[in-house]
Every structure is written in C-alpha cells, then in structure tokens.
Amino acid sequence: MSRSPYLSSAPSVSVIMVKVMLALVPAIAAYVWVFGAGILVMLALASVTALASEALILKLRKRPIKPFLMDGSALLTAWLLALSLPPLAPWWLVVVGTFFAIVIAKQLYGGLGYNPFNPAMVGYAVLLISFPVIMTHWPAPLELAQAKFSFANQLEYVFGTTNGLSLDAVSMATPLDYLKTQLTLHHSVQEITTAPQFGLLGAKGGELVVGAYLLGGLYLLQQRLITWHLPTAFLSVLALMAGAFYLVDATHFAHPLFHLFTGASMLGAFFIITDPVSGPTTPKGKLVFSAGIAVLTYLIRVYGGYPDGVAFSVLLMNMCVPLIDAWTQPRVFGHKK
Amino acid sequence: MSEVNQETTQQVVQEAEVKVQPKVFYSEIVENGLWKQNPGLVQLLGLCPTLAMTVSLVNGFSLGVMTAVVMAASNASVAPIRQWVPTEIRIPVFILIIAALVTIIDLSMHAYLQSLHAVLGIFIPLIVTNCIVLARVEAFAAKNPVVPSALDGFMMGFGLALVLAALGGVREIIGKGTLFSGIDLVFGPSAKSMILTVIPDYHGFLLAILPPGAFIGLASLIATRNWMAQRKAAREAATPISAGLVAH
C-alpha cells in the first residue's frame, strides 16, 4: 500500500493544449449551429497557416521543428484567433492575422514561453485596426438572416470566388455595435434592446456560443488548468462596473448581465486572459491583471471607438505584467516583507 | 636616461598625431555615412522623422534630402569656425547655426514647393531638433576641416534619406499598394502619371501606414542590414589570408 503524499507529475504542454482545445469544442459546435459550418473552414485555414508559419520560422531560427509543432501551442493560438474573428470572413483575413500572431507576436519574441503579448490578441488587434469594416461585419445568426447562406455559399464567400454574393445581404450589426450607434441617436437602452438581434441576455444566437464558452471554462477549472482568480475577478469586476453605471442611469447603460453575455467577455475570461505565458504568475497579480482588463474593457465598450475592447485591454494589461508581478511577490516563508 | 626617453616618445607621438590628423579618407566618410554608421540603421539617430514621415516613398525621401542639405550646410559652416567656438558654449552656438539654416530651407520650400511643404509640415522646422544633425556637427565638423565635414554631413544625411526612402517605399506598397504617390507635390501635376500601382485592386493594409507599421518596418530594415553585415563578416573570416594574397 502506497501512502500519501503522492507525487503528481505536471502535465506536458501538449496535454494542456489538447485539453484547452477540447474545452473549445462545445463553443465551436454552438457556432456551427448558430452561424453555419463556415467557421470550420475558418478554423482549418487558421490551423494550416499557423503550422506552416511556425514551421517556417523555426527553420529560419534553426530550431527543432517537430517538437515545437507537436506541442499544439500554435494550433491553439490559431483556434482562439479564428473564434475571435467574424464567423465568415475572406480567407486572406484569417491568413494574415494568423501569420502575424505566430511570426511577429510569438516567434520573433523567442517562441513559446517568451512572448510578452497574447499572440491571438495581437493578430486580432492588427486585423481590427487594419480592416475595421470587414472585422465589424458579422453575419446574422441563421435564424435571423433574411437571405440564407448555404455551406457552399459560405465557402464561396470565404474564398471570394463569386462576384454576386455580398455579405451585406446576410450581415447585421452586432448587439454591442448596434447599442453603441443607437445610443448616439438618443434612443434608450430599453428601446434598443427590442431589436431582433438581442436575445434573452446578450445577442440572439450569440448567447448560445457564450454559454458554451462558460461550459468549456468550467471544464478547464475542474481540470485545474486555470485557477479561479482570473475569470472570477474579470467577470465580477466587469459586472460591478456595468452594475454601477446601470444603477446610476439605466436608460444609457446596459444591464450588467448584457455585458457578461455579449462580445468576447466569456471567451476572454476563460480562454484569453488565462494565457499562462503573457499573464502574471502570482495569485494577487492575477486579480489585479484581470480587474484591470475588466475596467478597460468596459470603458472601451462604453466610451471607446470600437464596439468591443477585450483585445486591446488584454494587450494593454500584458504590458503591465512585469510590474504587477514585481509588486505582488508573495512573502517567502521565513522572510519578512 | 629614462626622462629623455619619455620626452622623445612624447615628441614622436605628437608628431604622429600631427601627421595623422589632416589625412582624411574620403571613401571612408562615404562608406560610414551610407553603410557602416548609417544614421537610420546603425546609430538610430533622428528616429522621430524616420518613424513619423515615412508613410510614402516621396515623403520619406524628400524629408531625407532636406535633412542632408541641412547637415552638409551646418557641417560646412561649423568647421571653419571650430577654433574660435569656446567649448563651454559650443552646443548653443551650433544649434543657432543649424536653426538659421533650417529656417532658410523651410522658407524656401514654402516658396517653391508649397504643396510638399504642406504635407511635411512641422517636420521641416523640426530638423533643428533632429539629433543626427547636432551629432555630426559635434562629432565630426568640430574636429575636421571644411571639405571633409561638408562631405560627412551630406553623406550621413543621404544615408538617412535612403533609409527613409526604403522605409517609406515598403510602407507605401504594403499599406496602399502604390509607389511614388505624392510625386506630383514635387514635380507638379504633370508628374501624376509617374505614380505606380504595384498591387492592383488592393484593399490596403492600414497597419503599415499607422505608427506600428513604422516600428515594425524599421525593425525589419535594421534586421536585414545586420544580417547582411554578419554574412559579409562571416565570408571574410572564412577566406584565408593566403588565399587572398594568391588571388592578388
């Protein structure tokens, strides 16, 4: 009979990556249900680009290619980026974003473990500031779309082989975008949220995807791949900010639950800000980091020029990580502070 | 005995200094400005215009040429008075000379190239504060005769202009898909036909035009230069000296 304490071996990088990707599967399934199978093409495109550019740059850097390709980190970055993009986008958008994320944001800083910025969010920010029109053009959920895009239509759109098909026919302003533009026209939040793209809590259809992210995130927590600090602090501070503004003026500021269930809140809370490389390492630091992201996200959403602010907030707080880590060093046992 | 020896060595050293000083290698000045000590890629001086004004090839190169003219003129005017400028107040004196020259350039551009002047705007008067101008005056013109100083100023400026042109060209092609846009501001409206559309039907990649594009572009140029220099050094190290002698 063996006795405790047992020695547990730390899981390898590739096991972690595979489990995180597994946690994304419900969200991908929800995407297919809500927006159609086009997202699978986007994911495949991003994966191929990520692996190819990672292999290319590893070869240029004279590093072993196979072990780094097989660890799955490039693949996960590709998936997170593809899931942040509009579910239907031209192929070159995916390729450019993924290439930038892997080559500039990850490999040029030294590869896995050395990148100060979240690669997927760098790719997303590059695309958002370079191609704002395409990046804010989300297709409407299938149940709301006036013209139905079949899977063949979606493929044609992604690869740009047709001239007649335009996304304008099937696209719709996202709830965050719509809320922002309508508020400038002096409508109240209550009026605005009666529009068809609003669902029970967030975006119609989008809520399902957000719920799937929550499910995946809980699986990550249960598997102890992430600690509770980051998602809890992020979501509660975001809800607190939104709640305070909502209590002051409910006609101009949306309900806190709306902020939690739209945009990239859930994806961010469980999959983006939990990146162990570009985030802080101390428990207290994690609370500071995620609270900062939540505050910035809310401010960008309400007062900024872009509909959602998770990507920019993550990058801004990534810059503060060395400082946060230095200031939140836990006391070493036996030492005075 | 030893004292005498010391004196003679000192004399020898002094004589050697006197002999070495006037000997200026013009080819070395040219090489330093364009490649070895290129202000944009090696010294990294004058980064403000390098990053801000290189949204197109024409913008970058025009500002670079203006800087080169200012640098040649300021080096040429500081060199002849170098013996009479007291060391303690040399920086204000140099700055005043540079500022006067930049004002001349600024006003002449306003008179003859008004549309380009409008585009480059504040960056022409700002040539005064460009550290590469003062750096060359201080490091070269304050110690050397007029002709080499003028050449050094012009070559350093021209090296910077080439970097500005390369960076501007790369950012313009990636950002807008064109080359030489804005050339009509320099040569008049008839030059508009010289604008090349490198990539037809291009969406435009805004990042290259925005400030991050300047940083990424400059970093890539510096990396390319370092890579070329390293390759050259490796090749030279690999060639045995005897082989070189035989070849001669």
Side-chain angles (χ1 to χ4, degrees), chain A residues 92 96 100 104 125-127 129-132 134, chain B residues 202-208 210 212 216 220 227:
Chain A
W92 52 263
V96 168
F100 221 90
I104 307 259
V126 163
L127 294 178
I129 61 168
S130 299
F131 313 104
I134 304 176
Chain B
Y202 192 51
H203 291 271
F205 190 34
L206 210 57
L207 184 84
L210 292 170
I216 297 172
S220 315
W227 175 69

Side-chain angles (χ1 to χ4, degrees), chain A residues 193-204:
Chain A
T193 46
T194 54
Q197 60 260 59
F198 289 87
L200 205 56
L201 293 167
K204 195 158 205 151

Side-chain angles (χ1 to χ4, degrees), chain B residues 47-56 59 63 123 164 167 171 209 211 214:
Chain B
L47 281 185
C48 174
T50 307
L51 295 171
M53 279 325 294
T54 49
V55 288
S56 71
N59 275 12
L63 189 75
F123 284 94
L164 291 180
L167 186 55
R171 286 178 71 190
I209 302 288

Side-chain angles (χ1 to χ4, degrees), chain B residues 119-183:
Chain B
V119 175
L120 297 181
I122 187 68
F123 284 94
I124 302 167
L126 276 181
I127 294 176
V128 181
T129 59
N130 194 333
C131 32
I132 185 65
V133 183
L134 184 66
R136 289 329 288 176
V137 166
E138 165 79 1
F140 199 94
K143 292 167 194 154
N144 287 289
V146 178
V147 178
S149 295
L151 182 69
D152 177 81
F154 182 74
M155 277 305 159
M156 284 285 165
F158 194 63
L160 183 67
L162 290 182
V163 173
L164 291 180
L167 186 55
V170 169
R171 286 178 71 190
E172 191 182 341
I173 291 176
I174 299 177
K176 287 190 289 196
T178 62
L179 207 55
F180 301 116
S181 73
I183 198 156

